[in-house]
Amino acid sequence: MKHIVVLSGAGVSAESGLKTFRDADGLWEGHNVMDVATPEGFAKNPELVLTFYNERRKQLLEVKPNSAHFDLAALEQDYKVTIITQNVDDLHERAGSTNVIHLHGELLKARSIKNNDILPWNTDMKLGDLCAQGHQIRPHIVWFGEAVPMIDEAIEICKTADILIIVGTSMQVYPAAGLKDFVKSGTPIFYIDPKPADIHDKYVTTIKEKASTGMKTVIKALSSQ
Ligand code: OAD
């Protein structure tokens, strides 16, 4: 079975009603990214940061996967599929994908600020909510300036790709954006994005469409391979 590796970003969830980051002038749901997505922001105003992610979590529980998520999940019928997502939502899983790596963490998990304890979390998070060892918890999100613990595993997975699908990412944030450079030379790459970044690689087919229709185009191309 061929191995399809998918690198997804905020754009794959846009048609579910979740805003992307860079389509909003550096603001994320009205906030400066540096205030809500950095360790410094959390140290300065933890309530603001917790409230911000509480709102994102609530919103996530109200939206549903879209056809792009479902089409990616359906690829598992014919291929081995690994999804490496920059998204902190769980829409790939809810659509049925069984092999999803979250590079930037998950909204529905909490992490101790003192150790690596990670726990499921689907309600509001407040100051005073503690892990089993008695330490404050925080959202399980990789903030700017923090290490990306899953990156080494993601690199190894990319090396085994027979096909790479990149969908809904501006390819601006590293190390995630660098993952495409780890696929074997000659690996076909499909890049779906209505406003794609320039990717200079002769093996890239750029599909300038939304994720939903772009996935249909990719499926057609795969069936004729
Ligand atoms: P961006 O907001 O940077 O890029 C979203 C991309 O989705 C853009 O290239 C849009 O053109 C595209 N897009 C918009 N609507 C779309 C649609 N309907 N279908 C397909 N594509 C569409 O988001 P990411 O590249 O995911 O990190 O950003 C990477 C990281 O930066 C995020 O994981 C986040 C952010 O800071 C953390 O939260 C740690």
Side-chain angles (χ1 to χ4, degrees):
M1 236 185 198
K2 283 193 175 170
H3 185 196
I4 296 186
V5 175
V6 179
L7 176 62
S8 71
V12 78
S13 297
E15 289 164 88
S16 292
L18 297 179
K19 287 220 176 80
T20 63
F21 305 95
R22 281 166 196 81
D23 285 328
D25 297 331
L27 291 184
W28 186 12
E29 298 283 357
H31 290 277
N32 181 327
V33 172
M34 301 316 269
D35 290 338
V36 293
T38 60
E40 293 77 17
F42 185 60
K44 200 166 126 201
N45 194 343
E47 267 122 346
L48 172 82
V49 175
L50 291 179
T51 304
F52 175 76
Y53 286 98
N54 288 343
E55 285 164 7
R56 305 282 72 72
R57 199 177 301 104
K58 258 192 219 130
Q59 183 185 30
L60 173 58
L61 296 173
E62 285 163 9
V63 302
K64 294 192 177 80
N66 63 60
S67 72
H69 296 107
F70 286 113
D71 283 341
L72 287 165
L75 289 176
E76 291 189 19
Q77 289 160 17
D78 299 306
Y79 300 90
K80 174 180 174 189
V81 182
T82 310
I83 297 190
I84 302 170
T85 187
Q86 299 166 81
N87 299 343
V88 298
D89 65 54
D90 65 341
L91 296 179
H92 284 303
E93 288 91 338
R94 277 199 256 157
S97 287
T98 59
N99 192 13
V100 184
I101 291 179
H102 286 270
L103 277 183
H104 293 161
E106 293 174 70
L107 258 181
L108 298 179
K109 289 187 179 164
R111 187 162 90 219
S112 165
I113 61 167
K114 281 273 173 8
N115 54 43
N116 288 329
D117 281 2
I118 294 169
L119 39 154
W121 204 272
N122 61 9
T123 57
D124 280 354
M125 198 180 289
K126 305 179 292 299
L127 283 179
D129 286 335
L130 307 176
C131 70
Q133 276 73 40
H135 305 299
Q136 174 67 41
I137 53 163
R138 54 165 269 188
H140 178 48
I141 304 284
V142 176
W143 286 326
F144 284 100
E146 295 187 317
V148 179
M150 300 303 283
I151 195 68
D152 290 336
E153 193 181 326
I155 287 172
E156 292 310 312
I157 289 163
C158 286
K159 289 181 185 168
T160 70
D162 296 307
I163 297 160
L164 179 67
I165 300 175
I166 303 173
V167 52
T169 170
S170 59
M171 301 295 272
Q172 301 288 308
V173 172
Y174 285 80
L179 282 171
K180 73 164 182 48
D181 299 327
F182 288 94
V183 300
K184 293 182 292 278
S185 168
T187 304
I189 301 176
F190 297 96
Y191 176 28
I192 306 167
D193 197 300
K195 290 187 205 152
D198 271 333
I199 302 188
H200 301 290
D201 188 319
K202 63 181 173 177
Y203 298 106
V204 177
T205 305
T206 301
I207 299 162
K208 221 171 154 181
E209 291 177 45
K210 288 183 173 179
S212 55
T213 56
M215 271 308 297
K216 306 286 182 216
T217 307
V218 167
I219 288 165
K220 218 181 256 170
L222 289 175
S223 65
S224 63
Q225 265 194 352

